Amino acid sequence: MSLLKPFSKTPEINGANILLVENEEQFQQCLAETIVLQNMNVNVNVRLARSLPLPMENEKSRPRIDLVVFIINLTSEASFKSAETSLKYLDPGYFLGKVCFVVTKARSAVPPERLIAVRKLAASLHCPLLYAEDQTTEGVTTTAHRLLAILRVTAGLIPMATSLYLSTLTCYTLPSDTDQLNFD
Amino acid sequence: MRNCVLVFSETQKKILTKTNSFKMDPMDSLENLASGLETVAVNRFQTPTVGSGPNESPAIEILRIKEQMSNQCFEMAVKLQTGESSRFCNTSDAEKDLADYTNALEEAKITHFNQSLALHRMQVWHAISEKLKQRDPEAEAMRGLTIRCLDLCSQIKTNQQKSFELQDEITVLQKQRLDLKRLTHEKMKEMEELKKREHPESEKYRNVLQKGQSNLEKYQRIVTITQNVLRGIIIASKVNWRNEPKLRDIAMTLDDILISDE
């Protein structure tokens, strides 16, 4: 099994690499373009994939990945399943802050079980969960900004913060059921 | 730590050169200085992470890359450390420990930040005092500013003194007013008590009055009846009372409209 390991390669100088994994390959394209257009003083490298494991041919040329983003489309069950299976090919070292979940199309009428399942997954893995608006450019730009903020920490650009420290602050916590009841 | 001092002196130079433009009001330059120091303090006296894009000076770029690499090395060292000491424990224990460790980490960060703030404050004051001893136009400007600050402070002191005195006077007046209020309250209470106390004495007076009034009524009734009787007699006897002077006087008194207590 070819696991993607966080520390198996040496890091690049002045670089940050982000990997977008999406089953449908729709959102990742425009998100990648927006990320690259942002004004950063490091070289941001965006790699796109459909699912893990990544093909062996690129193993040598692939740089060290700082942040792995799973884009889950709520309207399709296959998206969620593919993300779940891809998680197995990720070394556990990544889950200490170097994995992020992005959910799209949360506004459309979806069965709530899928969203709850995604939330439980994010909570159990202690990863941040972002909701993205993929129809408007502002939504895409906002998501790009947020991902870049997390990427800055995981790539080591923020001096006193590491990805593990950030994960303790940003990890998704499930709201307990009693909170829903007390809303009235 | 050398890098921190290097950055600081670089920014210090930038901040200090701003006081050269004396066209502005000295307060404006003070404000610029304060905001500059504030941004430097907020960035924790380290290189800005967002960066100014392509027009970054190479020194800052090298510093940034150096910090990035040290951060990455730190992460890898942490990973190695966890790899060495691998013990088996369940997740609930680990999560309890996690909460404690994050608290300890936060506290360490806070103390570190406060201490570095204090250190930089000392550095700034030292730099300012060194500057003031020199003889260039910047120092002149700073001396002028400090003199102005001292004047303003003494003005503040006198104004505060005046306000304290006025406050004391106000307090004295308020005390006096309270005393007067208290006295009026007491007087009002005494008056009410006196009004009530009249009661036993006025009881006798009322009784006497009552008796007198009943007597008066009795006698008035007697008089009315007598008058009516006399009237009847005179009318029934068909005597001409107008000719006799004595009878006329009596009859005139009879015709008075009596005020009866009915």
Side-chain angles (χ1 to χ4, degrees), chain B residues 234-235 237-255:
Chain B
I234 290 178
I235 290 170
S237 64
K238 297 193 182 116
V239 71
N240 197 355
W241 48 268
R242 277 165 65 216
N243 295 337
E244 296 259 333
K246 268 200 234 169
L247 206 53
R248 204 168 107 190
D249 289 335
I250 294 171
M252 292 310 266
T253 62
L254 286 183
D255 277 1

Side-chain angles (χ1 to χ4, degrees), chain B residues 1 17 21 66 83 91 147 168 183 187 219 225 260:
Chain B
M1 285 320 283
T17 47
S21 55
K66 179 248 172 204
T91 40
I147 287 171
D168 287 340
L183 278 173
K187 291 298 173 205
Y219 285 122
I225 287 170
S260 59

Side-chain angles (χ1 to χ4, degrees), chain B residues 86-101:
Chain B
S86 55
R87 57 195 175 99
F88 291 100
C89 61
N90 50 354
T91 40
S92 54
D93 281 349
E95 281 184 9
K96 272 184 249 163
D97 288 340
L98 184 69
D100 291 334
Y101 289 146

Side-chain angles (χ1 to χ4, degrees), chain B:
Chain B
M1 285 320 283
R2 217 192 87 203
N3 294 328
C4 290
V5 175
L6 190 68
V7 168
F8 180 73
S9 63
E10 234 184 41
T11 51
Q12 197 183 15
K13 271 192 217 141
K14 275 194 211 144
I15 289 164
L16 284 178
T17 47
K18 271 192 186 176
T19 58
N20 255 337
S21 55
F22 209 53
K23 296 170 215 159
M24 303 184 277
D25 184 43
M27 281 322 207
D28 282 344
S29 61
L30 249 181
E31 226 180 290
N32 285 340
L33 180 67
S35 58
L37 272 173
E38 189 189 16
T39 47
V40 169
V42 161
N43 284 334
R44 301 183 187 201
F45 299 97
Q46 282 155 339
T47 49
T49 49
V50 180
S52 40
N55 45 357
E56 238 184 356
S57 71
I60 293 188
E61 216 175 306
I62 289 176
L63 274 169
R64 189 174 37 75
I65 293 169
K66 179 248 172 204
E67 277 168 9
Q68 183 187 3
M69 287 175 70
S70 67
N71 204 342
Q72 284 165 340
C73 291
F74 173 70
E75 273 191 334
M76 292 195 274
V78 164
K79 174 83 183 173
L80 283 171
Q81 213 179 30
T82 53
E84 281 163 12
S85 60
S86 55
R87 57 195 175 99
F88 291 100
C89 61
N90 50 354
T91 40
S92 54
D93 281 349
E95 281 184 9
K96 272 184 249 163
D97 288 340
L98 184 69
D100 291 334
Y101 289 146
T102 42
N103 282 340
L105 199 65
E106 276 297 324
E107 281 177 32
K109 278 202 174 215
I110 288 168
T111 43
H112 166 79
F113 185 58
N114 288 337
Q115 282 167 358
S116 56
L117 265 182
L119 177 67
H120 289 296
R121 226 181 291 142
M122 292 200 300
Q123 283 178 324
V124 168
W125 275 115
H126 178 73
I128 287 176
S129 57
E130 286 294 306
K131 188 80 192 176
L132 280 176
K133 288 178 200 158
Q134 293 169 11
R135 284 191 170 277
D136 44 346
E138 275 180 6
E140 295 293 333
M142 285 180 96
R143 268 194 286 266
L145 275 172
T146 46
I147 287 171
R148 183 148 170 200
C149 279
L150 284 170
D151 286 337
L152 286 171
C153 282
S154 54
Q155 269 185 24
I156 288 170
K157 259 183 77 173
T158 47
N159 286 339
Q160 272 184 341
Q161 197 64 35
K162 279 187 212 163
S163 72
F164 286 148
E165 283 165 22
L166 284 172
Q167 197 71 33
D168 287 340
E169 279 178 36
I170 288 172
T171 330
V172 163
L173 283 172
Q174 276 181 337
K175 270 193 208 161
Q176 283 177 351
R177 208 175 64 163
L178 256 173
D179 280 339
L180 278 174
K181 249 192 184 172
R182 200 172 36 84
L183 278 173
T184 43
H185 266 283
E186 281 176 22
K187 291 298 173 205
M188 295 286 285
K189 273 191 201 159
E190 274 179 41
M191 267 170 48
E192 281 187 23
E193 260 180 65
L194 281 173
K195 271 192 202 163
K196 280 185 202 161
R197 256 190 329 131
E198 286 252 71
H199 212 72
E201 288 173 28
S202 66
E203 189 82 37
K204 284 184 246 163
Y205 290 134
R206 245 192 288 148
N207 288 338
V208 167
L209 201 68
Q210 198 79 7
K211 247 196 238 170
Q213 245 175 328
S214 57
N215 274 342
L216 181 68
E217 274 173 37
K218 194 168 79 176
Y219 285 122
Q220 267 183 335
R221 259 185 261 135
I222 291 173
V223 162
T224 324
I225 287 170
T226 340
Q227 276 182 334
N228 285 335
V229 164
L230 205 53
R231 221 186 277 152
I233 292 173
I234 290 178
I235 290 170
S237 64
K238 297 193 182 116
V239 71
N240 197 355
W241 48 268
R242 277 165 65 216
N243 295 337
E244 296 259 333
K246 268 200 234 169
L247 206 53
R248 204 168 107 190
D249 289 335
I250 294 171
M252 292 310 266
T253 62
L254 286 183
D255 277 1
D256 280 345
I257 301 164
L258 288 171
I259 307 159
S260 59
D261 294 321
E262 276 163 55

